[in-house]
Amino acid sequence: MSAFDELKAHLRVTCALEQVQGRLGWDQETVMPRGAADQRAEEMAAMEAVLHARRTDPRLGDWLAAVQAPDEAGAALIRHARRDYDRHARVPADLAEEIARETSRAQGIWAEARAKDDVDAFLPVLDRVLGLKRQEAQAMANGGDPYDALLALYEPGMTGAEVAALFDRLRPQLLALREAVMGAARQPEPLRGHFDRDEQIRIAQMLAERFGYDRTRGRIDMAVHPFSSGSGADVRITTRVDEGDPFNCFYSTIHELGHAVYEQGVAPDHALTPLGQGASMGVHESQARFFENQLGRSRAFTGWLHGVMAETFGDPGCGGAEGFCATVNRVHPGFIRTEADELHYNLHIMLRFDLERALVAGDLAVDDLEGAWNERFERDFGMAVDRPANGFLQDVHWSVGLFGYFPTYTLGNLYAGCLWRAMQADLPDLEAALGQGDPMPAVRWLGERVHRHGALRSPRETIAHACGSEPGEAPLIDYLTVKFGAIYGF
Amino acid sequence: MSAFDELKAHLRVTCALEQVQGRLGWDQETVMPRGAADQRAEEMAAMEAVLHARRTDPRLGDWLAAVQAPDEAGAALIRHARRDYDRHARVPADLAEEIARETSRAQGIWAEARAKDDVDAFLPVLDRVLGLKRQEAQAMANGGDPYDALLALYEPGMTGAEVAALFDRLRPQLLALREAVMGAARQPEPLRGHFDRDEQIRIAQMLAERFGYDRTRGRIDMAVHPFSSGSGADVRITTRVDEGDPFNCFYSTIHELGHAVYEQGVAPDHALTPLGQGASMGVHESQARFFENQLGRSRAFTGWLHGVMAETFGDPGCGGAEGFCATVNRVHPGFIRTEADELHYNLHIMLRFDLERALVAGDLAVDDLEGAWNERFERDFGMAVDRPANGFLQDVHWSVGLFGYFPTYTLGNLYAGCLWRAMQADLPDLEAALGQGDPMPAVRWLGERVHRHGALRSPRETIAHACGSEPGEAPLIDYLTVKFGAIYGF
């Protein structure tokens, strides 16, 4: 066997084991008995021990030294393999195992702490996880910036400084837009009423079908925190139901469908290789946010959804389809990121980015996190956090060690803006299809331009290839200006 | 670290990975999307590759050469480790992987073939699985009898010849009992009626609670084939519902509860070691069959169940509690092993044992299996198999490579007979408790004598320790004679 074939065979098993690890994560958040948490932490640590040994196997170094790429995909595979090998080889095996064990355990503790607003129960765990992740980041950074090393796990090729500069450019434009919106004479009402759980789930399942999700290679379950998990032939999503707010279910479902349809759309040739998944979490979020916002919250699609809601629950009473679209897109400050409108969403991310960067740098102690969060939140959103679950306890990310992940949401919004602009020229009839509740022309366009390529290209190149031009923030701001200008009349 | 500590640490990770493998099996039979079957086969093969490498790690040989047992449990752990190392080291890695891949794939094909009575779809798969398992058996047997090597996976210390001799002794006694029963003047009626699915599930959940199953460390789901899976803090069971036959649900649930309560009852000290699970599949089946038959089908417990059924579904119309007990225990020839009465059950096993022994020996070809099955079934049961799903396609075992497993059911019945005799002396008030629907005195007795010890002792020693005497078949025959004599009046 050639060095390339040996390398690929080795990675195939590693990728299969990563799928197993992902399946355990799914199990933990959907069906695992609560008394199994400690044992599961040991199982996760064992899987991580196996994976770390495979990722740092010295033979990888030999193969990578001797390997020749047979083609473009082969070259991409080697790039991924080299980057992963270099990164993992710097992390001690016992640290990798300990992180897997602690983050598995921390997840349950976070969920309980959030349910009870129990800050004291959570802080020691967060402190341990942060300590371990800082060690890992320093090891991976190899003298460079630790935060950059973590960010690179989710968005290769991006640095914290670049994100900060981007956010500095975006922030005033978003604030100006928010001012225009909040000062507008026309202010939509929020949705009110009671929306039956089973009917919501039925509509969520219909949405899954309409957005092209293949249920024979996936499934939908309930979970506290909606997520998508798995690649290839087994890509599952979760959702949740709030009987007072059906948008929570519908739009978190559409969001996760964006992730899942992306994974399901990767060419089977790439399966069980490092190319057999999304190009980065930023590109992943671009698909999720595109599904959710550019498609799901468009005037045309909300028009169709208005009809579905009226038929199912009776007239939602927002003043017809036009008013319903305004209600869906209603801009208002709120505590919860996942429920935020498109303008406030990025402000939520900027807050988290600054705080997690300070945490990783050692400039902010875990004990001071709640205070720092609350102060910043009041400054940015003009309202005081009323309880920890509505503040720094709301997101699962930090408890499971996902420092460096949050910026990918805003990068996703930015990429989604670029894709939206590029799509306009190609799909003049998209609006008509969306008005019929049919997003498939857009899904197919994304499938062809983005999904099927998996991680063949870098995140930036993936978007540039799809759009025919380099990504930037202007299309996002244009999209938001046009959209909210139409709704709020400015 | 001492050789013992090194050995134990290594086994801890291996045991954690075996739990992961078990969890994947659970996932496959309960929630996996059907399109994921091929990918899952790769995942299973990857897990097996990892496990095989760990089980044959040359350091195990070094540790085992140097190790000193610190105590009784340590000595037992070393015994297990030595046996497993010797056995696995004889099996080539690629064969182990290929078996994992093929059996994962075969399971879905079997399920579909059974549903459609499609023999042609199943035979090639069965032939491949059998071929691989024969190779494995020959490798493990190391010149000995291949069937014995397979049997030893499930019942260490037992040989095919011993099983055959036991079955030769049991068979005439069972046939004599059956003749007495079938010739009796009093013949109970089968249960008739429609029994609501949700109510059946509610009763199954109540049974779980009454038999001491800890739902915080387990869960109950639906599956085609009821099973129990996992050890320690995550032991799950499945059940199924037939609205025409609630006994199917109730007694398969009680059966699986026997397995699950055993695993949950192993002392936490043994967790994630080779001692942290049942002593063998024979001992496992003894717990499952004891729960199901000696407890669940006793006159006292069926009296309580009669009340529950009458309250839930209305009078079951079998002629009161006495008649209901006779109906529950009604002896009649039938196609399906899992629905068989206590007399016919062992005849089902004997048939499977003889056929699988011939398959493994190469004396019976897969193409001739259906004919051999049908001929033997008609001879033993006095009726012709009407369709493959009621014949050789009914059980999952062979498709997933479980050759050598079937005898453990009858060994379980035999052990259960021994435990029942020993329990009588200790628990004079058991019948009164069972009459109140409370099997916990018996469950606690088993917990103390059997469950908490896990695999500390060999299967035979486990039963001998619990009963205070060596296991034999006489207690089983006595138990059956007394029980069916009372019901049928002979």
Side-chain angles (χ1 to χ4, degrees), chain A residues 26-33 221, chain B residues 26 31 218-219 221 236:
Chain A
W26 173 87
D27 186 276
Q28 182 161 347
E29 294 204 49
T30 54
V31 294
M32 187 183 82
D221 295 273
Chain B
W26 174 88
V31 294
R219 52 180 290 131
D221 295 272
R236 307 181 184 183

Side-chain angles (χ1 to χ4, degrees), chain B residues 36-57:
Chain B
D38 284 348
Q39 180 171 316
R40 177 57 56 87
E42 292 306 313
E43 294 166 10
M44 290 298 241
M47 285 300 292
E48 187 58 32
V50 165
L51 278 163
H52 192 269
R54 291 193 67 82
R55 289 168 179 151
T56 58
D57 189 319

Side-chain angles (χ1 to χ4, degrees), chain A residues 249-331:
Chain A
C249 171
F250 300 160
Y251 286 99
S252 73
T253 300
I254 299 176
H255 180 97
E256 301 310 333
L257 288 169
H259 288 300
V261 169
Y262 186 7
E263 289 291 337
Q264 288 190 333
V266 176
D269 288 355
H270 296 326
L272 298 182
T273 79
L275 313 187
Q277 54 188 336
S280 71
M281 288 321 301
V283 180
H284 241 297
E285 291 301 338
S286 79
Q287 301 308 294
R289 300 287 293 168
F290 194 98
F291 270 48
E292 183 186 352
N293 294 325
Q294 272 83 1
L295 301 178
R297 289 194 172 96
S298 64
R299 171 64 186 86
F301 192 79
T302 57
W304 170 80
L305 185 62
H306 177 255
V308 171
M309 298 252 326
E311 212 170 273
T312 312
F313 305 110
D315 182 0
C318 307
E322 197 74 39
F324 181 76
C325 176
T327 290
V328 166
N329 287 287
R330 179 172 164 262
V331 174

